[in-house]
PDB file of all heavy atoms in Angstrom:
ATOM      1  N   VAL A  67     -14.427  40.092  11.391  1.00  0.00           N
ATOM      2  CA  VAL A  67     -14.408  40.078   9.937  1.00  0.00           C
ATOM      3  C   VAL A  67     -13.079  39.538   9.433  1.00  0.00           C
ATOM      4  O   VAL A  67     -12.037  39.703  10.073  1.00  0.00           O
ATOM      5  CB  VAL A  67     -14.639  41.512   9.383  1.00  0.00           C
ATOM      6  CG1 VAL A  67     -13.527  42.455   9.823  1.00  0.00           C
ATOM      7  CG2 VAL A  67     -14.775  41.519   7.878  1.00  0.00           C
ATOM      8  N   THR A  68     -13.111  38.871   8.304  1.00  0.00           N
ATOM      9  CA  THR A  68     -11.902  38.390   7.638  1.00  0.00           C
ATOM     10  C   THR A  68     -11.638  39.267   6.415  1.00  0.00           C
ATOM     11  O   THR A  68     -12.499  39.388   5.537  1.00  0.00           O
ATOM     12  CB  THR A  68     -12.044  36.925   7.201  1.00  0.00           C
ATOM     13  OG1 THR A  68     -12.208  36.096   8.360  1.00  0.00           O
ATOM     14  CG2 THR A  68     -10.803  36.466   6.447  1.00  0.00           C
ATOM     15  N   LEU A  69     -10.484  39.880   6.397  1.00  0.00           N
ATOM     16  CA  LEU A  69     -10.120  40.758   5.289  1.00  0.00           C
ATOM     17  C   LEU A  69      -9.441  39.966   4.176  1.00  0.00           C
ATOM     18  O   LEU A  69      -8.630  39.076   4.430  1.00  0.00           O
ATOM     19  CB  LEU A  69      -9.176  41.859   5.771  1.00  0.00           C
ATOM     20  CG  LEU A  69      -9.693  42.827   6.839  1.00  0.00           C
ATOM     21  CD1 LEU A  69      -8.674  43.935   7.078  1.00  0.00           C
ATOM     22  CD2 LEU A  69     -11.043  43.411   6.443  1.00  0.00           C
ATOM     23  N   HIS A  70      -9.782  40.312   2.937  1.00  0.00           N
ATOM     24  CA  HIS A  70      -9.164  39.754   1.748  1.00  0.00           C
ATOM     25  C   HIS A  70      -8.385  40.862   1.042  1.00  0.00           C
ATOM     26  O   HIS A  70      -8.580  42.042   1.339  1.00  0.00           O
ATOM     27  CB  HIS A  70     -10.222  39.165   0.820  1.00  0.00           C
ATOM     28  CG  HIS A  70     -10.960  37.988   1.401  1.00  0.00           C
ATOM     29  ND1 HIS A  70     -11.904  38.115   2.392  1.00  0.00           N
ATOM     30  CD2 HIS A  70     -10.879  36.660   1.112  1.00  0.00           C
ATOM     31  CE1 HIS A  70     -12.389  36.922   2.710  1.00  0.00           C
ATOM     32  NE2 HIS A  70     -11.778  36.016   1.952  1.00  0.00           N
ATOM     33  N   PRO A  71      -7.518  40.503   0.120  1.00  0.00           N
ATOM     34  CA  PRO A  71      -6.743  41.538  -0.586  1.00  0.00           C
ATOM     35  C   PRO A  71      -7.634  42.636  -1.163  1.00  0.00           C
ATOM     36  O   PRO A  71      -8.637  42.354  -1.829  1.00  0.00           O
ATOM     37  CB  PRO A  71      -6.044  40.745  -1.695  1.00  0.00           C
ATOM     38  CG  PRO A  71      -5.869  39.385  -1.107  1.00  0.00           C
ATOM     39  CD  PRO A  71      -7.115  39.142  -0.305  1.00  0.00           C
ATOM     40  N   GLY A  72      -7.276  43.872  -0.843  1.00  0.00           N
ATOM     41  CA  GLY A  72      -8.057  45.025  -1.304  1.00  0.00           C
ATOM     42  C   GLY A  72      -9.050  45.535  -0.287  1.00  0.00           C
ATOM     43  O   GLY A  72      -9.553  46.657  -0.414  1.00  0.00           O
ATOM     44  N   ASP A  73      -9.356  44.736   0.741  1.00  0.00           N
ATOM     45  CA  ASP A  73     -10.280  45.177   1.787  1.00  0.00           C
ATOM     46  C   ASP A  73      -9.588  46.184   2.712  1.00  0.00           C
ATOM     47  O   ASP A  73      -8.381  46.109   2.943  1.00  0.00           O
ATOM     48  CB  ASP A  73     -10.759  43.992   2.629  1.00  0.00           C
ATOM     49  CG  ASP A  73     -11.701  43.080   1.857  1.00  0.00           C
ATOM     50  OD1 ASP A  73     -12.235  43.526   0.826  1.00  0.00           O
ATOM     51  OD2 ASP A  73     -11.890  41.925   2.294  1.00  0.00           O
ATOM     52  N   THR A  74     -10.375  47.099   3.243  1.00  0.00           N
ATOM     53  CA  THR A  74      -9.852  48.089   4.187  1.00  0.00           C
ATOM     54  C   THR A  74     -10.691  48.066   5.463  1.00  0.00           C
ATOM     55  O   THR A  74     -11.868  47.708   5.443  1.00  0.00           O
ATOM     56  CB  THR A  74      -9.872  49.510   3.597  1.00  0.00           C
ATOM     57  OG1 THR A  74     -11.227  49.872   3.259  1.00  0.00           O
ATOM     58  CG2 THR A  74      -9.001  49.603   2.361  1.00  0.00           C
ATOM     59  N   LEU A  75     -10.052  48.457   6.558  1.00  0.00           N
ATOM     60  CA  LEU A  75     -10.720  48.470   7.857  1.00  0.00           C
ATOM     61  C   LEU A  75     -10.203  49.654   8.656  1.00  0.00           C
ATOM     62  O   LEU A  75      -8.993  49.892   8.706  1.00  0.00           O
ATOM     63  CB  LEU A  75     -10.434  47.170   8.620  1.00  0.00           C
ATOM     64  CG  LEU A  75     -10.947  47.082  10.067  1.00  0.00           C
ATOM     65  CD1 LEU A  75     -12.472  47.055  10.085  1.00  0.00           C
ATOM     66  CD2 LEU A  75     -10.378  45.845  10.755  1.00  0.00           C
ATOM     67  N   PHE A  76     -11.118  50.389   9.286  1.00  0.00           N
ATOM     68  CA  PHE A  76     -10.744  51.509  10.140  1.00  0.00           C
ATOM     69  C   PHE A  76     -10.953  51.116  11.594  1.00  0.00           C
ATOM     70  O   PHE A  76     -12.035  50.662  11.968  1.00  0.00           O
ATOM     71  CB  PHE A  76     -11.583  52.752   9.810  1.00  0.00           C
ATOM     72  CG  PHE A  76     -11.280  53.936  10.702  1.00  0.00           C
ATOM     73  CD1 PHE A  76     -10.108  54.648  10.550  1.00  0.00           C
ATOM     74  CD2 PHE A  76     -12.178  54.310  11.699  1.00  0.00           C
ATOM     75  CE1 PHE A  76      -9.821  55.741  11.369  1.00  0.00           C
ATOM     76  CE2 PHE A  76     -11.907  55.396  12.517  1.00  0.00           C
ATOM     77  CZ  PHE A  76     -10.724  56.110  12.351  1.00  0.00           C
ATOM     78  N   VAL A  77      -9.910  51.277  12.406  1.00  0.00           N
ATOM     79  CA  VAL A  77      -9.986  50.966  13.834  1.00  0.00           C
ATOM     80  C   VAL A  77      -9.627  52.231  14.615  1.00  0.00           C
ATOM     81  O   VAL A  77      -8.485  52.679  14.585  1.00  0.00           O
ATOM     82  CB  VAL A  77      -9.020  49.827  14.226  1.00  0.00           C
ATOM     83  CG1 VAL A  77      -9.169  49.502  15.708  1.00  0.00           C
ATOM     84  CG2 VAL A  77      -9.265  48.593  13.370  1.00  0.00           C
ATOM     85  N   PRO A  78     -10.581  52.818  15.327  1.00  0.00           N
ATOM     86  CA  PRO A  78     -10.289  54.040  16.095  1.00  0.00           C
ATOM     87  C   PRO A  78      -9.338  53.770  17.252  1.00  0.00           C
ATOM     88  O   PRO A  78      -9.234  52.648  17.744  1.00  0.00           O
ATOM     89  CB  PRO A  78     -11.674  54.475  16.595  1.00  0.00           C
ATOM     90  CG  PRO A  78     -12.663  53.722  15.760  1.00  0.00           C
ATOM     91  CD  PRO A  78     -11.997  52.441  15.410  1.00  0.00           C
TER      92      PRO A  78
END
Side-chain angles (χ1 to χ4, degrees):
V67 62
T68 297
L69 298 186
H70 295 73
D73 289 342
T74 60
L75 174 67
F76 178 73
V77 182

